[in-house]
Amino acid sequence: MTQPEPCDALIIGTGQAGKPLAGALAKAGWRVVVVEKGRVGGTCVVEGCTPTKTMVASARVAHLARRARDYGVHAGEVTVDLAAVRARKRAIVDAWSGSSERGLTKHDTLELVPGVARFTGPRAVSVHDAETDGEGVPARRFAAEHVFINAGTRTRIPDLPGLDRVPYLTSTSIMELAEVPEHLIVLGGGFIGLEFGQMFRRFGAAVTIVEGGARLVAREDEDVSDALADILRDEGIDLRLDTPAERVGVGPDGGIALHLEGGDTVLGSHLLVAIGRRSNADGLGLEHTGLEPDARGFIPVDDRCRTGVENVWALGDITGAPPFTHISYDDYRVVESQLLGDGSVTRAGRLLPYVMFTDPQLGRVGLTEADARKQGRDIRVAKLPMERVARAVETDETRGFMKAVVDAGTDRVLGAAILGIEGGEVMSVLQMAMVADLPFTALRDGVFAHPTLAESLNNLFLALE
């Protein structure tokens, strides 16, 4: 057996933490090996944010075209060429992934190695041909001074009787369809299920979303969940809430038959499984490192992304952190600070925003009202319907509302939910106020340009007078 090749750093995965870390370490003169089993860019670029939001944009165009008469514009029948939508998505993914790969390979001390990584010791890694799924004789072996795990997550497949006997879709495979489904059944009422459900409804499919819980996106406040449900129903989506799936079978026309608890059955042409993500830690050979995943299968780390094994770090989704690109990228900044900086950057106390790209968007940051009350905080809640926002009225995008949770004693904003047109952008204004530790009165009394969406923050906080 050949001797392992030495390196200063071995990085598993080219997601939004692994890729920039590889470049930073190589620029500092480290010999870096990056192992990637698929395309460069990680989940975000290859099968997550970039392709999905590209397709969401196409779906919104179709939606606006159908609403043309609402704006005094007369257009013909709207049809969707899903193959063309797919081609546009592929082109953008190719461009971003290609750019990411070129960014890595420009470094003289960095080698990008294709294949599947498996630990053979605490900091010893073998690389196997991706087509063998990590089995067989390794193509390369490495002994690293430092190892960084950025291997991400994959679709979680439920243990649902009959699922293995039907051709179900995942959030990756559904984006490769060339034709619009006749009737798409979505299993799961979280972020992934809602984004794809609305998208394909706008492409022209009949859509049924099945959620075992009592409401959609259960982590949100009840008024947010209810408003989202109303928005989706208004677009013609059938919601089956509080109805767990019991089994899957073949329908009478050869399609999908999703049998629900209570005896109801949903018949459709396609089934999307969207109940969440699971860690990829189970395929890394962690048993050879001394590391043990937690009960959910994620790799535990401290506030500096260090695992329980010396000089082994884990970053991004695989640690159980909220599965968002910007959070993974912040993990890169944490590790870069520890190794190349002054060590002052940690995960502790960081403010983590997120956006669900339904239309309208849901932008969220900080505490929900429910969480603040559970903590026993003395709070005030400001709420403004989008139909009272001038810019929303002018654009005829008045669905949803703005909501902020404020500490009654300090006047500081504790959290916000913006369900409305460009909700993510408005949420970011509130996030900046939270980062700067400003009282809500700074937004209430601020002079914002008219007519912008941010201007509505004046009126939102006037409700607290």
Side-chain angles (χ1 to χ4, degrees):
M1 182 178 292
T2 59
Q3 290 297 312
E5 304 170 54
C7 59
D8 297 317
L10 187 139
I11 299 174
I12 302 173
T14 58
Q16 299 308 298
K19 176 186 169 291
L21 179 62
L25 295 178
K27 187 176 180 180
W30 291 38
R31 168 160 158 63
V32 180
V33 172
V34 181
V35 182
E36 174 54 63
K37 69 176 182 179
R39 301 179 68 182
V40 172
T43 298
C44 176
V45 170
V46 178
E47 58 188 43
C49 312
T50 299
T52 60
K53 278 47 178 183
T54 297
M55 294 182 71
V56 163
S58 294
R60 177 166 166 77
V61 171
H63 174 67
L64 288 176
R66 293 188 183 99
R67 292 191 59 208
R69 288 181 177 273
D70 295 344
Y71 299 89
V73 177
H74 297 276
E77 180 185 0
V78 177
T79 60
V80 173
D81 181 350
L82 195 58
V85 172
R86 182 182 65 182
R88 176 175 175 269
K89 179 265 299 184
R90 286 176 174 176
I92 292 175
V93 170
D94 288 347
W96 281 68
S97 179
S99 175
S100 295
E101 183 169 348
R102 290 190 295 273
L104 283 177
T105 55
K106 71 179 182 182
H107 298 284
D108 293 336
T109 61
L110 186 153
E111 183 181 5
L112 177 61
V113 179
V116 175
R118 293 283 188 273
F119 282 99
T120 57
R123 290 182 300 280
V125 173
S126 63
V127 180
H128 302 253
D129 190 315
E131 293 185 0
T132 69
D133 197 26
E135 301 299 326
V137 178
R140 305 274 294 275
R141 298 170 61 232
F142 297 95
E145 292 293 326
H146 308 79
V147 176
F148 306 91
I149 306 170
N150 185 218
T153 59
R154 64 188 185 275
T155 297
R156 184 160 68 91
I157 306 300
D159 185 16
L160 186 63
L163 186 60
D164 59 345
R165 295 193 291 274
V166 298
Y168 63 85
L169 299 164
T170 67
S171 59
T172 300
S173 61
I174 193 171
M175 292 189 289
E176 288 301 306
L177 293 178
E179 296 182 353
V180 176
E182 180 181 346
H183 184 170
L184 175 66
I185 304 171
V186 180
L187 183 60
F191 278 38
I192 296 172
L194 299 194
E195 287 185 5
F196 277 109
Q198 186 184 50
M199 178 198 304
F200 275 87
R201 176 61 186 149
R202 290 179 167 189
F203 285 155
V207 174
T208 300
I209 297 177
V210 176
E211 168 55 46
R215 55 192 178 90
L216 304 174
V217 285
R219 75 178 72 178
E220 307 300 333
D221 281 329
E222 189 170 347
D223 54 355
V224 174
S225 296
D226 290 346
L228 273 167
D230 289 342
I231 288 168
L232 295 174
R233 288 190 181 105
D234 285 345
E235 294 199 18
I237 295 175
D238 180 18
L239 299 181
R240 306 291 183 95
L241 304 180
D242 205 14
T243 53
E246 191 173 70
R247 58 188 174 87
V248 184
V250 178
D253 60 353
I256 302 293
L258 183 64
H259 302 278
L260 310 179
E261 289 187 7
D264 198 7
T265 299
V266 179
L267 301 177
S269 60
H270 295 70
L271 173 66
L272 169 64
V273 175
I275 64 167
R277 308 279 292 178
R278 62 171 294 179
S279 167
N280 283 330
D282 57 350
L284 295 174
L286 293 183
E287 63 273 14
H288 300 294
T289 67
L291 286 175
E292 287 192 14
D294 63 18
R296 298 183 301 149
F298 295 101
I299 300 176
V301 296
D302 64 12
D303 284 342
R304 289 171 170 79
C305 295
R306 298 176 300 195
T307 71
V309 175
E310 185 178 5
N311 285 347
V312 177
W313 284 259
L315 307 89
D317 301 1
I318 203 167
T319 68
F324 302 113
T325 293
H326 46 285
I327 295 174
S328 183
Y329 184 79
D330 192 61
D331 280 356
Y332 145 67
R333 289 187 291 220
V334 169
V335 175
E336 193 270 346
S337 174
Q338 309 308 311
L339 297 176
L340 303 178
D342 62 7
S344 62
V345 182
T346 74
R347 282 178 156 198
R350 61 185 180 180
L351 191 60
L352 305 180
Y354 54 86
V355 181
M356 180 169 67
F357 286 87
T358 48
D359 182 20
Q361 297 171 9
L362 171 62
R364 275 271 296 110
V365 66
L367 295 177
T368 63
E369 178 185 356
D371 286 340
R373 296 195 187 282
K374 284 179 184 177
Q375 294 179 13
R377 292 177 179 262
D378 184 13
I379 61 171
R380 303 168 72 190
V381 178
K383 194 169 179 179
L384 181 72
M386 293 303 293
E387 60 191 14
R388 289 178 51 197
V389 175
R391 185 63 179 163
V393 173
E394 292 158 1
T395 58
D396 200 11
E397 298 279 0
T398 57
R399 299 183 297 176
F401 57 83
M402 298 183 177
K403 180 179 181 179
V405 180
V406 173
D407 186 282
T410 66
D411 286 345
R412 265 50 183 182
V413 180
L414 300 176
I418 311 297
L419 177 61
I421 178 175
E422 296 298 343
E425 305 299 334
V426 180
M427 175 275 291
S428 296
V429 178
L430 287 159
Q431 181 189 1
M432 290 306 300
M434 295 170 72
V435 169
D437 196 30
L438 295 175
F440 79 87
T441 52
L443 297 171
R444 181 196 66 191
D445 302 333
V447 180
F448 297 94
H450 175 79
T452 62
L453 292 166
E455 176 195 33
S456 60
L457 295 176
N458 291 153
N459 291 334
L460 172 65
F461 290 111
L462 280 174
L464 297 183
E465 289 187 341

